[in-house]
Amino acid sequence: MNPIMKIILTFYFTLIVFLANNWISYAILWLLAIISIYFSGINIKTFFNGIKAILFIILITVIIQILFSVNGNVIFNYGPIKITNLGIKYGIFIFFRFTLIVIASTILTLSTKPLAIAYGIEKIMSPLNKLHFPVEVLSLMISIALRFVPTLIDEISSIIKAQKARGANFNNGNLIKRANAIASIFIPLFLVAMNHASDLGDAMVSRGYKSNVKRSQYHHYHINHIDWISCFTYLLFGVLIVFIRK
Amino acid sequence: MGDSIVFNDVNFSYHSNDLSHQALKDINLKIPYHSFTAIVGKTGSGKSTLVQQINGLLKPTSGTVMVGNSIISNKTPDKKLFKLRKKVGIVFQFPEHQLFEDTVLKDVCFGPKNIGYNDNDVMTLAEKSLQVVDFPKRLYDQSPFNLSGGQMRRVAIAGVLAMNPKILILDEPTAGLDQIGKRSIMNLIYNLYCKRNLTIIMVTHQMSDVSDYADHVIVMNNGKMVKMTTPRLLFENYNLVLHNNLRMPEVVNFAYHLKQNGVSFSKIPLNIKELTTLIVNKLHR
Ligand SMILES: Nc1ncnc2c1ncn2[C@@H]1O[C@H](COP(=O)(O)OP(=O)(O)OP(=O)(O)O)[C@@H](O)[C@H]1O
Ligand SMILES: [Mg+2]
């Protein structure tokens, strides 16, 4: 699929999630989410590993929300803790809402290469060019930043190893010692990042990079029938929700 | 008597559930106490992975590593490894990337402080190690980032030496230095080896360092240990060298060329001195 379309649809999905306000509309959204996961071709296991941690955080938020709900008929009461039927209902809705948004953005990030996302952002923002906003430079910055994430992760792990070998202990010891251990990672990391940046800058300049020249694209993305089908499906679901919501 | 290092059926994989791509396969070896062992092999053959098993920075996926009487296996808790790290010092590839304090002296203090020496001892250890690596005293209060590459390397080595390890592991200690810098770092390591009764394990791509300094050599290829032998036996075995993407040291190469041209020696010379003696003997006869 075209990355531009994917980004737009993801935003659109987030919007209609906020429109939903009853059981049926959430059910419809879930259906759409499941269809999207299915056709994205992402391995279900990878998908769940990706959202596991954040699901847990959402769950805790929702539980707290439920425990201290105020409106509706009280089902259970213990000291400051009060659980009401409406509280449970809204808790579940909030849980659905966050989870669906997380699912949508996870589909986007797992099924799209970082460079394609940067391309999509550039195209979507390109109208800003008229206002002399440097969209292309921004998009280049985003793609470079994304490109260096794995490199920096490698660097971090090798620095951590080196400091561990020097007896750094990140889990024990008093506050000062621990702060020092953490500094022992971040200062070298910062330096390495700076070195990468200046090397990259030199390499770009020596290969003739100028920010005011139009750059060509290595990949060309076309909008094809799959994009139109998904677009249509999403619109349909959106309309459905507008009618079903109370 | 000091500690020797024993690997028993060590397998290691960076992605623990994927055994198809193992970084180490069935490693069995023994590195004796107070030996100078070189580890050679082409890029990606698993040398760095191998040495990191010795102080538990990486734990074997299966099998055990024994350092003296401490055992490292998959299940060894990190607390125990902390103790081991006092005994085994590692100087990493490009160790200057680990410097972070605002002065050289402070940076060297980091290691000994971490493993619990008191402040006085830390200072003596740090100053002594900086002396050992020949680091000029007037630069002690400099920022480590203003030094030349070779000086940074020395500071980083001093930082590990200050922890007083019994086993010193060096991963390509001379990579990226100029010829003189290389020589002086190698001499420094060899002096340490002789004076402090250390066990030295050195990963290297410099075959002349193997022939000049090492007494044992481990040949790695594709995650497997092809052979553990002595430098002389390694360089006498032309095929072994060839098949593992290694090169002969210059001196040995020279001897082979002479042999091709009809001048053969009674043994393969490992260094200039041996070569000279052999040639002189030939000429006098
Ligand atoms: N952090 C890591 N994560 C995943 N795989 C790794 C990691 N480090 C190394 N490997 C892989 O393990 C294998 C052995 O790597 P290792 O770094 O031990 O090689 P090496 O012999 O030290 O090479 P070099 O001479 O380039 O330093 C390689 O195939 C490498 O791709
Ligand atoms: Mg290596």
Side-chain angles (χ1 to χ4, degrees):
Chain A
M1 261 182 86
N2 190 307
I4 305 174
M5 190 61 95
K6 279 201 221 174
I7 294 174
I8 293 178
L9 288 184
T10 307
F11 271 107
Y12 172 77
F13 186 84
T14 315
L15 267 177
I16 59 176
V17 165
F18 281 101
L19 286 180
N21 59 3
N22 56 15
W23 291 107
I24 304 180
S25 48
Y26 275 111
I28 291 173
L29 283 172
W30 274 105
L31 183 67
L32 183 57
I34 290 167
I35 294 175
S36 310
I37 297 176
Y38 179 75
F39 283 106
S40 69
I42 303 168
N43 183 323
I44 295 288
K45 226 171 154 186
T46 355
F47 192 84
F48 274 102
N49 280 336
I51 61 173
K52 221 167 34 192
I54 197 152
L55 269 188
F56 185 69
I57 296 172
I58 297 175
L59 208 60
I60 289 184
T61 326
V62 168
I63 287 173
I64 292 172
Q65 166 95 11
I66 289 178
L67 288 184
F68 299 100
S69 48
V70 278
N71 297 328
N73 304 328
V74 177
I75 302 173
F76 176 84
N77 199 337
Y78 181 82
I81 296 176
K82 199 162 52 172
I83 298 180
T84 69
N85 59 349
L86 277 185
I88 292 182
K89 185 173 157 192
Y90 287 124
I92 293 175
F93 280 3
I94 290 174
F95 176 72
F96 280 175
R97 193 171 279 180
F98 280 123
T99 312
L100 285 165
I101 293 173
V102 168
I103 287 178
S105 44
T106 311
I107 294 176
L108 177 68
T109 47
L110 282 185
S111 70
T112 322
K113 290 200 194 82
L115 277 181
I117 293 182
Y119 164 84
I121 293 174
E122 177 182 338
K123 286 294 163 207
I124 289 170
M125 288 176 53
S126 60
L128 288 179
N129 254 335
K130 297 235 161 59
L131 304 173
H132 298 289
F133 185 80
V135 173
E136 290 197 347
V137 176
L138 185 77
S139 121
L140 185 69
M141 275 163 56
I142 295 175
S143 30
I144 291 176
L146 293 173
R147 150 71 182 76
F148 274 97
V149 169
T151 314
L152 288 182
I153 290 177
D154 278 357
E155 300 282 4
I156 290 188
S157 71
S158 72
I159 293 171
I160 290 181
K161 270 190 206 157
Q163 306 299 24
K164 265 190 180 168
R166 292 213 279 165
N169 199 332
F170 306 105
N171 305 320
N172 295 316
N174 60 25
L175 210 59
I176 297 173
K177 238 183 172 168
R178 262 195 245 187
N180 206 21
I182 288 170
S184 76
I185 295 173
F186 280 99
I187 294 172
L189 182 68
F190 208 71
L191 281 162
V192 170
M194 294 301 232
N195 281 340
H196 276 311
S198 81
D199 285 353
L200 184 69
D202 291 345
M204 281 166 70
V205 169
S206 63
R207 290 206 266 166
Y209 174 80
K210 285 204 191 94
S211 62
N212 52 6
V213 176
K214 180 110 186 83
R215 296 200 314 136
S216 59
Q217 212 77 39
Y218 182 67
H219 289 289
H220 283 276
Y221 298 97
H222 301 287
I223 297 202
N224 54 24
H225 60 279
I226 297 178
D227 293 295
W228 290 123
I229 293 173
S230 349
C231 186
F232 182 72
T233 318
Y234 271 68
L235 274 181
L236 195 73
F237 274 82
V239 172
L240 220 60
I241 283 174
V242 171
F243 277 107
I244 282 172
R245 71 190 294 259
K246 279 186 292 196
Chain B
M1 192 55 200
D3 298 330
S4 56
I5 300 160
V6 181
F7 278 59
N8 278 317
D9 294 322
V10 171
N11 283 286
F12 179 81
S13 164
Y14 278 100
H15 312 281
S16 51
N17 36 22
D18 170 23
L19 286 180
S20 58
H21 195 85
Q22 276 175 251
L24 295 178
K25 295 171 203 150
D26 297 324
I27 308 280
N28 281 293
L29 56 82
K30 178 168 192 241
I31 299 174
Y33 166 70
H34 194 44
S35 65
F36 193 127
T37 304
I39 301 180
V40 297
K42 68 175 170 203
T43 317
S45 55
K47 306 181 294 294
S48 302
T49 313
L50 182 77
V51 294
Q52 286 172 40
Q53 310 280 331
I54 300 174
N55 74 346
L57 282 173
L58 300 174
K59 294 182 215 169
T61 310
S62 71
T64 55
V65 177
M66 288 180 47
V67 179
N69 44 23
S70 356
I71 300 180
I72 314 167
S73 77
N74 207 347
K75 297 185 203 70
T76 313
D78 286 347
K79 249 205 194 108
K80 265 194 177 161
L81 296 176
F82 191 70
K83 255 195 209 148
L84 194 64
R85 290 191 188 132
K86 292 186 195 178
K87 200 153 66 180
V88 185
I90 294 197
V91 179
F92 277 86
Q93 235 160 330
F94 297 106
E96 47 274 26
H97 293 171
Q98 71 185 29
L99 304 178
F100 74 101
E101 288 279 13
D102 48 356
T103 72
V104 166
L105 193 60
K106 267 195 195 166
D107 205 284
V108 177
C109 290
F110 182 68
K113 222 187 216 160
N114 278 330
I115 57 175
Y117 284 102
N118 69 36
D119 287 356
N120 273 336
D121 291 349
V122 167
M123 217 25 115
T124 1
L125 279 167
E127 282 178 354
K128 220 169 94 194
S129 329
L130 279 167
Q131 269 166 28
V132 169
V133 300
D134 257 337
F135 189 82
K137 202 161 192 156
R138 68 197 152 79
L139 297 179
Y140 280 10
D141 290 324
Q142 276 272 338
S143 156
F145 304 114
N146 294 339
L147 305 174
S148 74
Q151 285 171 329
M152 279 182 169
R153 189 76 49 105
R154 279 165 198 271
V155 173
I157 294 177
V160 174
L161 283 182
M163 296 168 70
N164 238 340
K166 295 280 161 283
I167 296 168
L168 182 63
I169 299 172
L170 303 123
D171 196 343
E172 297 185 35
T174 61
L177 296 182
D178 60 28
Q179 290 304 323
I180 293 177
K182 278 184 183 164
R183 265 287 124 174
S184 65
I185 294 276
M186 280 315 300
N187 282 335
L188 182 152
I189 295 170
Y190 195 69
N191 275 335
L192 279 170
Y193 166 70
C194 299
K195 282 190 199 137
R196 287 205 182 176
N197 273 343
L198 294 179
T199 303
I200 302 249
I201 300 168
M202 181 179 76
V203 174
T204 182
H205 287 289
Q206 305 287 320
M207 291 305 136
S208 53
D209 289 346
V210 179
S211 59
D212 287 352
Y213 301 102
D215 52 21
H216 291 72
V217 54
I218 293 171
V219 181
M220 295 291 297
N221 196 346
N222 201 8
K224 293 200 183 100
M225 187 184 83
V226 179
K227 200 155 187 93
M228 176 154 185
T229 175
T230 63
R232 187 175 303 281
L233 289 173
L234 170 66
F235 295 124
E236 275 173 0
N237 190 338
Y238 203 88
N239 283 330
L240 186 63
V241 171
L242 208 67
H243 288 158
N244 293 290
N245 289 61
L246 305 174
R247 279 180 321 109
M248 290 289 180
E250 284 302 309
V251 171
V252 180
N253 228 348
F254 182 60
Y256 272 108
H257 277 292
L258 283 177
K259 192 174 168 189
Q260 270 167 17
N261 290 294
V263 186
S264 52
F265 299 125
S266 51
K267 63 172 186 182
I268 297 270
L270 281 187
N271 49 42
I272 298 277
K273 223 166 145 190
E274 283 183 24
L275 179 67
T276 319
T277 325
L278 286 171
I279 292 180
V280 168
N281 283 348
K282 261 245 142 63
L283 290 177
H284 279 278
R285 225 178 321 128

